[in-house]
Amino acid sequence: MRTSFNIPDDLLAEFDQTWQTEGFDSRSRAVREAMQEYIEAHIELETVSGDVTAALAFDYQHERVIRELHDVQHDFQDVITTTSHTHEGDWCLETVFCRGEAARVRKLAYRLRDFDAVGQVKVLLLRS
């Protein structure tokens, strides 16, 4: 099936450089691989249950969203054990370490992804 996407030029250029460096034979193959990795990560997060330990790493534009992110973190104090934060110009990188019910950690990860000013949220999931 053919499809089209609206992708910023700079992101596409980085993607093309990456897949070519990794030795994929085409952009389509690289997109399929990236989609499969995304699906696998989603399935893992969706299907885990019970108590888990996790690290959620995310980047964001500080001035645009810091107050809202603090509110979210306060809402999830029951599973957040520690946070680590660093500034990089207008952007910040934060890691939130969690322990608790998988459903709460999953809800936190999805809540963090709700913000346009958050670039990405990476989840490192460990079962307790």
Side-chain angles (χ1 to χ4, degrees), residues 94-116:
E94 190 144 349
T95 306
V96 177
F97 300 92
C98 304
R99 182 178 301 129
E101 176 58 39
R104 283 290 286 163
V105 174
R106 178 173 38 251
K107 188 172 183 178
L108 172 58
Y110 291 158
R111 184 66 185 101
L112 293 171
R113 289 177 176 159
D114 280 345
F115 297 100
D116 289 338

PDB file of all heavy atoms in Angstrom, residues 94-116:
ATOM      1  N   GLU A  94      14.376  15.291  31.009  1.00  0.00           N
ATOM      2  CA  GLU A  94      13.969  14.850  32.336  1.00  0.00           C
ATOM      3  C   GLU A  94      13.792  13.335  32.322  1.00  0.00           C
ATOM      4  O   GLU A  94      13.325  12.762  31.334  1.00  0.00           O
ATOM      5  CB  GLU A  94      12.659  15.522  32.734  1.00  0.00           C
ATOM      6  CG  GLU A  94      12.305  15.313  34.175  1.00  0.00           C
ATOM      7  CD  GLU A  94      11.626  16.537  34.777  1.00  0.00           C
ATOM      8  OE1 GLU A  94      11.615  17.605  34.148  1.00  0.00           O
ATOM      9  OE2 GLU A  94      11.116  16.403  35.881  1.00  0.00           O
ATOM     10  N   THR A  95      14.195  12.709  33.404  1.00  0.00           N
ATOM     11  CA  THR A  95      13.959  11.283  33.597  1.00  0.00           C
ATOM     12  C   THR A  95      13.167  11.134  34.884  1.00  0.00           C
ATOM     13  O   THR A  95      13.532  11.692  35.919  1.00  0.00           O
ATOM     14  CB  THR A  95      15.267  10.490  33.685  1.00  0.00           C
ATOM     15  OG1 THR A  95      16.053  10.770  32.531  1.00  0.00           O
ATOM     16  CG2 THR A  95      14.995   8.995  33.768  1.00  0.00           C
ATOM     17  N   VAL A  96      12.065  10.418  34.793  1.00  0.00           N
ATOM     18  CA  VAL A  96      11.193  10.166  35.939  1.00  0.00           C
ATOM     19  C   VAL A  96      11.281   8.675  36.238  1.00  0.00           C
ATOM     20  O   VAL A  96      11.001   7.847  35.372  1.00  0.00           O
ATOM     21  CB  VAL A  96       9.730  10.575  35.615  1.00  0.00           C
ATOM     22  CG1 VAL A  96       8.814  10.239  36.770  1.00  0.00           C
ATOM     23  CG2 VAL A  96       9.654  12.051  35.269  1.00  0.00           C
ATOM     24  N   PHE A  97      11.707   8.350  37.436  1.00  0.00           N
ATOM     25  CA  PHE A  97      11.825   6.955  37.848  1.00  0.00           C
ATOM     26  C   PHE A  97      10.564   6.584  38.615  1.00  0.00           C
ATOM     27  O   PHE A  97      10.131   7.323  39.508  1.00  0.00           O
ATOM     28  CB  PHE A  97      13.067   6.768  38.716  1.00  0.00           C
ATOM     29  CG  PHE A  97      14.332   7.136  37.979  1.00  0.00           C
ATOM     30  CD1 PHE A  97      14.843   8.425  38.059  1.00  0.00           C
ATOM     31  CD2 PHE A  97      14.985   6.207  37.192  1.00  0.00           C
ATOM     32  CE1 PHE A  97      15.994   8.779  37.369  1.00  0.00           C
ATOM     33  CE2 PHE A  97      16.129   6.552  36.492  1.00  0.00           C
ATOM     34  CZ  PHE A  97      16.639   7.842  36.581  1.00  0.00           C
ATOM     35  N   CYS A  98       9.982   5.449  38.249  1.00  0.00           N
ATOM     36  CA  CYS A  98       8.691   5.057  38.796  1.00  0.00           C
ATOM     37  C   CYS A  98       8.741   3.639  39.369  1.00  0.00           C
ATOM     38  O   CYS A  98       9.467   2.789  38.875  1.00  0.00           O
ATOM     39  CB  CYS A  98       7.619   5.075  37.707  1.00  0.00           C
ATOM     40  SG  CYS A  98       7.438   6.644  36.851  1.00  0.00           S
ATOM     41  N   ARG A  99       7.882   3.418  40.351  1.00  0.00           N
ATOM     42  CA  ARG A  99       7.635   2.074  40.861  1.00  0.00           C
ATOM     43  C   ARG A  99       6.183   2.031  41.301  1.00  0.00           C
ATOM     44  O   ARG A  99       5.733   2.893  42.053  1.00  0.00           O
ATOM     45  CB  ARG A  99       8.542   1.743  42.041  1.00  0.00           C
ATOM     46  CG  ARG A  99       8.308   0.317  42.549  1.00  0.00           C
ATOM     47  CD  ARG A  99       9.209  -0.080  43.698  1.00  0.00           C
ATOM     48  NE  ARG A  99      10.609   0.022  43.299  1.00  0.00           N
ATOM     49  CZ  ARG A  99      11.540   0.676  44.001  1.00  0.00           C
ATOM     50  NH1 ARG A  99      11.237   1.273  45.112  1.00  0.00           N
ATOM     51  NH2 ARG A  99      12.788   0.716  43.579  1.00  0.00           N
ATOM     52  N   GLY A 100       5.459   1.034  40.807  1.00  0.00           N
ATOM     53  CA  GLY A 100       4.065   0.905  41.200  1.00  0.00           C
ATOM     54  C   GLY A 100       3.268   0.133  40.182  1.00  0.00           C
ATOM     55  O   GLY A 100       3.821  -0.563  39.317  1.00  0.00           O
ATOM     56  N   GLU A 101       1.960   0.263  40.276  1.00  0.00           N
ATOM     57  CA  GLU A 101       1.038  -0.452  39.404  1.00  0.00           C
ATOM     58  C   GLU A 101       1.259  -0.052  37.941  1.00  0.00           C
ATOM     59  O   GLU A 101       1.325   1.133  37.606  1.00  0.00           O
ATOM     60  CB  GLU A 101      -0.395  -0.152  39.837  1.00  0.00           C
ATOM     61  CG  GLU A 101      -1.472  -0.743  38.961  1.00  0.00           C
ATOM     62  CD  GLU A 101      -1.398  -2.259  38.831  1.00  0.00           C
ATOM     63  OE1 GLU A 101      -1.095  -2.927  39.846  1.00  0.00           O
ATOM     64  OE2 GLU A 101      -1.632  -2.757  37.711  1.00  0.00           O
ATOM     65  N   ALA A 102       1.364  -1.054  37.086  1.00  0.00           N
ATOM     66  CA  ALA A 102       1.643  -0.824  35.665  1.00  0.00           C
ATOM     67  C   ALA A 102       0.639   0.128  35.026  1.00  0.00           C
ATOM     68  O   ALA A 102       1.015   0.969  34.204  1.00  0.00           O
ATOM     69  CB  ALA A 102       1.660  -2.160  34.919  1.00  0.00           C
ATOM     70  N   ALA A 103      -0.620   0.000  35.399  1.00  0.00           N
ATOM     71  CA  ALA A 103      -1.650   0.869  34.807  1.00  0.00           C
ATOM     72  C   ALA A 103      -1.384   2.344  35.115  1.00  0.00           C
ATOM     73  O   ALA A 103      -1.603   3.211  34.260  1.00  0.00           O
ATOM     74  CB  ALA A 103      -3.034   0.461  35.305  1.00  0.00           C
ATOM     75  N   ARG A 104      -0.894   2.651  36.308  1.00  0.00           N
ATOM     76  CA  ARG A 104      -0.590   4.041  36.676  1.00  0.00           C
ATOM     77  C   ARG A 104       0.626   4.554  35.912  1.00  0.00           C
ATOM     78  O   ARG A 104       0.638   5.687  35.434  1.00  0.00           O
ATOM     79  CB  ARG A 104      -0.342   4.167  38.184  1.00  0.00           C
ATOM     80  CG  ARG A 104      -1.563   4.142  39.026  1.00  0.00           C
ATOM     81  CD  ARG A 104      -2.414   5.383  38.887  1.00  0.00           C
ATOM     82  NE  ARG A 104      -1.831   6.535  39.547  1.00  0.00           N
ATOM     83  CZ  ARG A 104      -2.181   7.788  39.315  1.00  0.00           C
ATOM     84  NH1 ARG A 104      -3.136   8.058  38.458  1.00  0.00           N
ATOM     85  NH2 ARG A 104      -1.614   8.788  39.945  1.00  0.00           N
ATOM     86  N   VAL A 105       1.656   3.722  35.791  1.00  0.00           N
ATOM     87  CA  VAL A 105       2.858   4.125  35.056  1.00  0.00           C
ATOM     88  C   VAL A 105       2.512   4.337  33.582  1.00  0.00           C
ATOM     89  O   VAL A 105       2.946   5.312  32.968  1.00  0.00           O
ATOM     90  CB  VAL A 105       3.978   3.082  35.226  1.00  0.00           C
ATOM     91  CG1 VAL A 105       5.171   3.413  34.346  1.00  0.00           C
ATOM     92  CG2 VAL A 105       4.393   2.986  36.705  1.00  0.00           C
ATOM     93  N   ARG A 106       1.709   3.456  33.028  1.00  0.00           N
ATOM     94  CA  ARG A 106       1.265   3.585  31.635  1.00  0.00           C
ATOM     95  C   ARG A 106       0.494   4.895  31.457  1.00  0.00           C
ATOM     96  O   ARG A 106       0.713   5.641  30.506  1.00  0.00           O
ATOM     97  CB  ARG A 106       0.389   2.384  31.274  1.00  0.00           C
ATOM     98  CG  ARG A 106      -0.161   2.413  29.882  1.00  0.00           C
ATOM     99  CD  ARG A 106      -0.903   1.127  29.490  1.00  0.00           C
ATOM    100  NE  ARG A 106      -1.706   0.518  30.535  1.00  0.00           N
ATOM    101  CZ  ARG A 106      -1.395  -0.640  31.166  1.00  0.00           C
ATOM    102  NH1 ARG A 106      -0.296  -1.307  30.864  1.00  0.00           N
ATOM    103  NH2 ARG A 106      -2.185  -1.129  32.088  1.00  0.00           N
ATOM    104  N   LYS A 107      -0.408   5.186  32.384  1.00  0.00           N
ATOM    105  CA  LYS A 107      -1.201   6.417  32.301  1.00  0.00           C
ATOM    106  C   LYS A 107      -0.296   7.651  32.364  1.00  0.00           C
ATOM    107  O   LYS A 107      -0.511   8.626  31.634  1.00  0.00           O
ATOM    108  CB  LYS A 107      -2.237   6.449  33.431  1.00  0.00           C
ATOM    109  CG  LYS A 107      -3.228   7.570  33.319  1.00  0.00           C
ATOM    110  CD  LYS A 107      -4.334   7.424  34.348  1.00  0.00           C
ATOM    111  CE  LYS A 107      -5.368   8.517  34.176  1.00  0.00           C
ATOM    112  NZ  LYS A 107      -6.469   8.377  35.134  1.00  0.00           N
ATOM    113  N   LEU A 108       0.732   7.606  33.208  1.00  0.00           N
ATOM    114  CA  LEU A 108       1.690   8.710  33.285  1.00  0.00           C
ATOM    115  C   LEU A 108       2.416   8.887  31.956  1.00  0.00           C
ATOM    116  O   LEU A 108       2.538  10.008  31.450  1.00  0.00           O
ATOM    117  CB  LEU A 108       2.695   8.472  34.412  1.00  0.00           C
ATOM    118  CG  LEU A 108       3.879   9.439  34.491  1.00  0.00           C
ATOM    119  CD1 LEU A 108       3.414  10.879  34.641  1.00  0.00           C
ATOM    120  CD2 LEU A 108       4.803   9.035  35.638  1.00  0.00           C
ATOM    121  N   ALA A 109       2.891   7.799  31.363  1.00  0.00           N
ATOM    122  CA  ALA A 109       3.605   7.887  30.078  1.00  0.00           C
ATOM    123  C   ALA A 109       2.710   8.509  29.011  1.00  0.00           C
ATOM    124  O   ALA A 109       3.132   9.402  28.267  1.00  0.00           O
ATOM    125  CB  ALA A 109       4.065   6.501  29.640  1.00  0.00           C
ATOM    126  N   TYR A 110       1.461   8.072  28.946  1.00  0.00           N
ATOM    127  CA  TYR A 110       0.539   8.621  27.948  1.00  0.00           C
ATOM    128  C   TYR A 110       0.205  10.077  28.248  1.00  0.00           C
ATOM    129  O   TYR A 110       0.053  10.889  27.326  1.00  0.00           O
ATOM    130  CB  TYR A 110      -0.735   7.788  27.872  1.00  0.00           C
ATOM    131  CG  TYR A 110      -0.520   6.416  27.274  1.00  0.00           C
ATOM    132  CD1 TYR A 110      -1.412   5.396  27.530  1.00  0.00           C
ATOM    133  CD2 TYR A 110       0.569   6.129  26.462  1.00  0.00           C
ATOM    134  CE1 TYR A 110      -1.232   4.134  26.976  1.00  0.00           C
ATOM    135  CE2 TYR A 110       0.764   4.881  25.914  1.00  0.00           C
ATOM    136  CZ  TYR A 110      -0.143   3.887  26.167  1.00  0.00           C
ATOM    137  OH  TYR A 110       0.034   2.650  25.621  1.00  0.00           O
ATOM    138  N   ARG A 111       0.116  10.420  29.503  1.00  0.00           N
ATOM    139  CA  ARG A 111      -0.183  11.816  29.870  1.00  0.00           C
ATOM    140  C   ARG A 111       0.955  12.735  29.444  1.00  0.00           C
ATOM    141  O   ARG A 111       0.731  13.827  28.925  1.00  0.00           O
ATOM    142  CB  ARG A 111      -0.441  11.910  31.371  1.00  0.00           C
ATOM    143  CG  ARG A 111      -0.849  13.271  31.849  1.00  0.00           C
ATOM    144  CD  ARG A 111      -2.214  13.678  31.285  1.00  0.00           C
ATOM    145  NE  ARG A 111      -2.505  15.035  31.665  1.00  0.00           N
ATOM    146  CZ  ARG A 111      -2.363  16.087  30.851  1.00  0.00           C
ATOM    147  NH1 ARG A 111      -1.984  15.932  29.606  1.00  0.00           N
ATOM    148  NH2 ARG A 111      -2.634  17.304  31.279  1.00  0.00           N
ATOM    149  N   LEU A 112       2.193  12.295  29.645  1.00  0.00           N
ATOM    150  CA  LEU A 112       3.345  13.100  29.240  1.00  0.00           C
ATOM    151  C   LEU A 112       3.368  13.310  27.727  1.00  0.00           C
ATOM    152  O   LEU A 112       3.800  14.354  27.250  1.00  0.00           O
ATOM    153  CB  LEU A 112       4.649  12.444  29.696  1.00  0.00           C
ATOM    154  CG  LEU A 112       4.871  12.405  31.208  1.00  0.00           C
ATOM    155  CD1 LEU A 112       6.086  11.539  31.536  1.00  0.00           C
ATOM    156  CD2 LEU A 112       5.012  13.800  31.789  1.00  0.00           C
ATOM    157  N   ARG A 113       2.883  12.337  26.979  1.00  0.00           N
ATOM    158  CA  ARG A 113       2.868  12.444  25.520  1.00  0.00           C
ATOM    159  C   ARG A 113       1.780  13.374  25.003  1.00  0.00           C
ATOM    160  O   ARG A 113       1.763  13.711  23.826  1.00  0.00           O
ATOM    161  CB  ARG A 113       2.685  11.051  24.902  1.00  0.00           C
ATOM    162  CG  ARG A 113       3.906  10.181  25.063  1.00  0.00           C
ATOM    163  CD  ARG A 113       3.685   8.795  24.517  1.00  0.00           C
ATOM    164  NE  ARG A 113       4.915   8.023  24.620  1.00  0.00           N
ATOM    165  CZ  ARG A 113       4.947   6.703  24.602  1.00  0.00           C
ATOM    166  NH1 ARG A 113       3.841   5.997  24.472  1.00  0.00           N
ATOM    167  NH2 ARG A 113       6.100   6.073  24.701  1.00  0.00           N
ATOM    168  N   ASP A 114       0.881  13.803  25.868  1.00  0.00           N
ATOM    169  CA  ASP A 114      -0.225  14.673  25.461  1.00  0.00           C
ATOM    170  C   ASP A 114       0.211  16.087  25.098  1.00  0.00           C
ATOM    171  O   ASP A 114      -0.537  16.808  24.456  1.00  0.00           O
ATOM    172  CB  ASP A 114      -1.265  14.791  26.584  1.00  0.00           C
ATOM    173  CG  ASP A 114      -2.195  13.599  26.660  1.00  0.00           C
ATOM    174  OD1 ASP A 114      -2.247  12.811  25.702  1.00  0.00           O
ATOM    175  OD2 ASP A 114      -2.869  13.460  27.698  1.00  0.00           O
ATOM    176  N   PHE A 115       1.393  16.498  25.506  1.00  0.00           N
ATOM    177  CA  PHE A 115       1.820  17.886  25.338  1.00  0.00           C
ATOM    178  C   PHE A 115       2.566  18.082  24.021  1.00  0.00           C
ATOM    179  O   PHE A 115       3.509  17.349  23.726  1.00  0.00           O
ATOM    180  CB  PHE A 115       2.730  18.306  26.495  1.00  0.00           C
ATOM    181  CG  PHE A 115       2.057  18.280  27.833  1.00  0.00           C
ATOM    182  CD1 PHE A 115       2.251  17.202  28.692  1.00  0.00           C
ATOM    183  CD2 PHE A 115       1.219  19.309  28.223  1.00  0.00           C
ATOM    184  CE1 PHE A 115       1.635  17.173  29.929  1.00  0.00           C
ATOM    185  CE2 PHE A 115       0.590  19.281  29.457  1.00  0.00           C
ATOM    186  CZ  PHE A 115       0.802  18.210  30.317  1.00  0.00           C
ATOM    187  N   ASP A 116       2.155  19.098  23.260  1.00  0.00           N
ATOM    188  CA  ASP A 116       2.847  19.420  22.013  1.00  0.00           C
ATOM    189  C   ASP A 116       4.296  19.823  22.259  1.00  0.00           C
ATOM    190  O   ASP A 116       5.153  19.603  21.407  1.00  0.00           O
ATOM    191  CB  ASP A 116       2.130  20.551  21.265  1.00  0.00           C
ATOM    192  CG  ASP A 116       0.811  20.102  20.670  1.00  0.00           C
ATOM    193  OD1 ASP A 116       0.620  18.885  20.458  1.00  0.00           O
ATOM    194  OD2 ASP A 116      -0.040  20.977  20.411  1.00  0.00           O
TER     195      ASP A 116
END
